[in-house]
Amino acid sequence: MTKIRTAALALIAAALLAVSCAGGRPAEPADLILTNAAVTTMAANEPRAEALAVTDGKIVFVGDSRKALMRRGGSTRVVDLGGRMVLPAFQDSHIHLVMGGVESLSCNIAELETKEAVFARIREYAAAHPELPWVTGGGWALPLFPQANPRKEDLDVLVPDRPAILDAADGHSSWANSRALALAGITRDTQDPVGGRIERDPKTGEPTGTLRESAAGLVESHVPELGPADYINGLRAGLAMANRFGIASIIEARADGGILDAYVALDRAGELSLRVLASLQVDTDKGVSEARRLAALRQRYVGTRLKATAAKIFADGVIESHTAALLEPYVDRPGDRGTLLLEPEAFDALARALDLAGFQIHVHAIGDRAIRMSLDAFAAAGRANGFRDMRHHIAHLELIDPADIPRFKRLGVAANFQALWAYPDTYITDLTLPILGPGRSRWLYPIGSVAATGAVIVGGSDWSVSSMNPLEAIQVALTRRDPGDPPGEAWIPEEKVDLATMLRAYTVNGAWLCHEEKVRGTLETGKAADLIVIDRDLFAIPASEIGRARVLLTLLDGREIFRDPSFK
Ligand SMILES: [Zn+2]
């Protein structure tokens, strides 16, 4: 009975469709038509198409080029893409866009290989920024200077007119000029602070300009705090970079005052060129009362493209410094299992309260003990509150105990991987494998195993910790090799995933994570025209070349937010 009725309805629908195509009024002319393209829609039923049309910021047609061109009008822009790829715009689900941008505007001397190159960069930066009262930044490599001890006299020549302080790449030393030392009152008579050392000339006892550990704080306490304009300028720099990489939506990984003010300011000015879901920083010491404070922020920081409906909790630290919380001790430190940043009972209570208050919980968890505790807390929230569809997620997920892998799917918790980290660089070979040992190292970045359970996988860069380019991270998830390497043997090959899985992670699954899957994330009629054009079809090239592909065009609500100069 039911079957017959369905069939009859389908016939009626088909007849109506035929009428509207043949004799109905013609569709409104499109603003933009992309033809002759490798359109990957990320929709479940119609994965590939040839053409797409956009009107008023929305996708109005997906299909073949001939039919798309029927929507051409006098002011329609038509672009023949010559086989290039069209995808939904990317979402970065864990990024520090404002602070990364602020950092990118400071004097960046990372990855320079000679002292001369460092000096040249500092001189250029100081000349380009006469308005700054201080020159700050850093990234200098210790081996460039004798005894890892750069001299204030050199920095005095490079920055003669203002104080300057530049951090070493490892963050444990700083290099100051004479003006900075004078402002901080550091002389030959100044005692070394607890936990720090002022490097001195062995003959004269004069400070040389290098400050170790806490000694840097003597100068840093004089650096002016960031003001609203610094945050806004940082956000502008971050937006430009994100749009260039095809990113039209983000989850800000850790937001508070100055960061939120910058987002809301640019949203009101119409300059926020991507969608933002801000994860509000939770002060875990304050416990469940945080739910109330965060609810007030959620109400205050809302805009056209901004919402602050997530809460961020740090569960542990990082493996390299033995601060990630492990189920079994570090190999080189008997009895030391790292540190949980809050007790499981406190986490359960907090998760219950935040879940009940309608917050999505975004956790930083790296070690297998911190990950298990986070999953336990989500389970506790579910038992207490029932299913509330909050779409909680855990970011980083470096070491997952195999027993916990099926729990993501079971609990409806998304796995937020930073796939660019999943290859054996020196952080892994020198600082991770030796302290985890071979057995559990098999379970580092188990993206394939989590994906195989059917759990939702999403992707993020953690920029400025690592490259913002989603295509590089996608490549590494497929190859488990250095993105700069040619094809070869994968690291833990069982954990490789396929291209479709990773494209979903950066598009449709990201939209789902933001509760926006009904309005964006796939290229389907009626959805927002958040899309990108890539210079080659990713499905037609070897995985080891994906990171070299380039985004040529990024649209948000049909509006161009990035165009490569080579793309006409
Ligand atoms: Zn982060």
Side-chain angles (χ1 to χ4, degrees):
M1 173 66 186
T2 317
K3 256 185 208 154
I4 293 167
R5 220 171 42 207
T6 313
L9 281 172
L11 276 175
I12 294 165
L16 284 172
L17 197 68
V19 168
S20 75
C21 287
R25 82 194 137 86
E28 196 188 332
D31 297 328
L32 172 71
I33 299 175
L34 302 174
T35 64
N36 194 17
V39 180
T40 298
T41 68
M42 305 312 296
N45 49 349
E46 292 284 356
R48 295 279 272 195
E50 187 189 29
L52 178 147
V54 175
T55 303
D56 288 336
K58 293 247 174 8
I59 296 166
V60 292
F61 175 82
V62 182
D64 67 40
S65 294
R66 191 183 58 82
K67 283 205 191 111
L69 286 169
M70 287 162 67
R71 292 170 182 265
R72 183 182 205 152
S75 59
T76 304
R77 192 161 160 249
V78 177
V79 186
D80 180 331
L81 284 178
R84 292 193 183 103
M85 189 177 206
V86 179
L87 268 176
F90 291 134
Q91 171 166 318
D92 189 321
S93 295
H94 185 103
I95 185 169
H96 304 269
L97 194 69
V98 177
M99 293 318 292
V102 167
E103 206 178 287
S104 77
L105 295 177
S106 72
C107 181
N108 180 4
I109 47 174
E111 281 154 38
L112 298 175
E113 283 168 12
T114 64
K115 205 160 83 171
E116 291 67 37
V118 167
F119 289 1
R121 178 76 58 85
I122 296 169
R123 196 181 298 115
E124 274 164 37
Y125 180 87
H129 295 281
E131 79 287 1
L132 296 176
W134 280 68
V135 170
T136 59
W140 53 274
L142 300 173
L144 295 182
F145 302 95
Q147 285 90 49
N149 203 344
R151 307 279 307 201
K152 64 182 175 187
E153 293 83 0
D154 288 325
L155 198 49
D156 289 344
V157 173
L158 301 167
V159 188
D161 56 338
R162 332 164 232 181
I165 182 160
L166 298 161
D167 304 331
D170 72 351
H172 296 274
S173 296
S174 292
W175 174 24
N177 68 359
S178 295
R179 279 183 175 245
L181 295 172
L183 263 171
I186 298 176
T187 67
R188 55 191 292 174
D189 303 321
T190 309
Q191 300 248 319
D192 287 345
V194 175
R197 187 167 72 242
I198 301 165
E199 295 291 354
R200 298 161 202 270
D201 187 291
K203 292 196 200 94
T204 64
E206 275 294 313
T208 60
T210 302
L211 305 168
R212 309 287 184 204
E213 304 289 354
S214 71
L218 300 175
V219 171
E220 271 153 13
S221 61
H222 294 267
V223 176
E225 278 186 25
L226 294 175
D230 300 308
Y231 288 104
I232 286 177
N233 290 335
L235 176 52
R236 285 200 177 108
L239 288 171
M241 187 185 283
N243 295 161
R244 184 153 57 81
F245 286 129
I247 297 166
S249 134
I250 62 157
I251 295 184
E252 164 63 54
R254 178 183 189 172
D256 53 19
I259 293 172
L260 291 163
D261 287 337
Y263 279 122
V264 90
L266 289 197
D267 187 62
R268 288 196 183 136
E271 277 187 65
L272 195 58
S273 60
L274 41 69
R275 304 178 199 277
V276 179
L277 166 53
S279 311
L280 300 166
Q281 172 71 30
V282 176
D283 182 346
T284 49
D285 291 342
K286 299 226 168 79
V288 296
S289 73
E290 280 291 88
R292 216 174 323 120
R293 184 180 68 87
L294 265 49
L297 292 177
R298 174 173 60 189
Q299 228 168 8
R300 180 159 151 213
Y301 291 104
V302 60
T304 311
R305 293 201 173 118
L306 172 69
K307 59 185 181 186
T309 51
K312 173 68 176 295
I313 294 175
F314 281 83
D316 67 346
V318 297
I319 293 171
E320 294 88 339
S321 63
H322 300 81
T323 52
L326 305 181
L327 292 167
E328 298 298 330
Y330 287 94
V331 170
D332 60 332
R333 295 200 184 165
D336 181 359
R337 299 196 296 146
T339 319
L340 289 173
L341 295 178
L342 70 171
E343 291 305 314
E345 300 72 35
F347 200 160
D348 287 359
L350 202 49
R352 274 202 309 271
L354 290 167
D355 178 84
L356 191 63
F359 281 102
Q360 172 183 62
I361 301 169
H362 177 170
V363 182
H364 162 120
I366 284 183
D368 49 9
R369 187 156 59 108
I371 292 165
R372 178 167 296 172
M373 174 179 69
S374 308
L375 292 165
D376 289 346
F378 294 141
R383 279 193 304 274
N385 302 336
F387 178 67
R388 297 176 52 79
D389 198 21
M390 285 299 124
R391 307 185 188 179
H392 304 308
H393 57 123
I394 306 176
H396 306 326
L397 299 169
E398 292 188 26
L399 181 70
I400 310 181
D401 188 88
D404 290 320
I405 285 175
R407 297 180 71 201
F408 288 84
K409 165 77 177 166
R410 220 183 293 145
L411 294 168
V413 172
N416 189 337
F417 283 105
Q418 283 60 61
L420 184 60
W421 303 348
Y423 72 90
D425 61 356
T426 52
Y427 283 89
I428 288 191
T429 57
D430 300 359
L431 302 175
T432 301
L433 300 180
I435 66 176
L436 292 183
R440 58 187 160 176
S441 290
R442 153 69 184 84
W443 298 103
L444 283 164
Y445 307 103
I447 308 175
S449 295
V450 177
T453 66
V456 174
I457 307 281
V458 296
S461 64
D462 207 12
W463 187 73
S464 62
V465 172
S466 42
S467 162
M468 200 199 283
N469 185 354
L471 292 169
E472 279 181 45
I474 290 170
Q475 174 175 329
V476 172
L478 272 59
T479 63
R480 307 276 295 195
R481 291 175 63 76
D482 187 320
D485 281 355
E489 209 181 313
W491 177 64
I492 322 181
E494 304 90 312
E495 298 302 340
K496 291 201 287 187
V497 290
D498 64 15
L499 178 58
T501 299
M502 288 314 290
L503 292 180
R504 274 197 297 278
Y506 280 91
T507 58
V508 58
N509 291 359
W512 176 86
L513 193 60
C514 294
H515 288 85
E516 291 170 0
E517 74 277 12
K518 290 202 175 71
V519 295
R520 66 175 180 93
T522 59
L523 302 179
E524 291 176 280
T525 302
K527 289 210 174 161
D530 292 9
L531 61 86
I532 56 177
V533 174
I534 302 182
D535 67 349
R536 61 200 93 176
D537 181 353
L538 302 179
F539 284 101
I541 60 172
S544 58
E545 288 173 20
I546 289 173
R548 270 181 275 157
R550 278 191 12 249
V551 171
L552 300 175
L553 182 74
T554 310
L555 302 185
L556 169 64
D557 285 327
R559 190 171 68 88
E560 202 170 294
I561 51 173
F562 168 72
R563 170 186 288 268
D564 187 277
S566 74
F567 183 64
K568 301 286 183 240

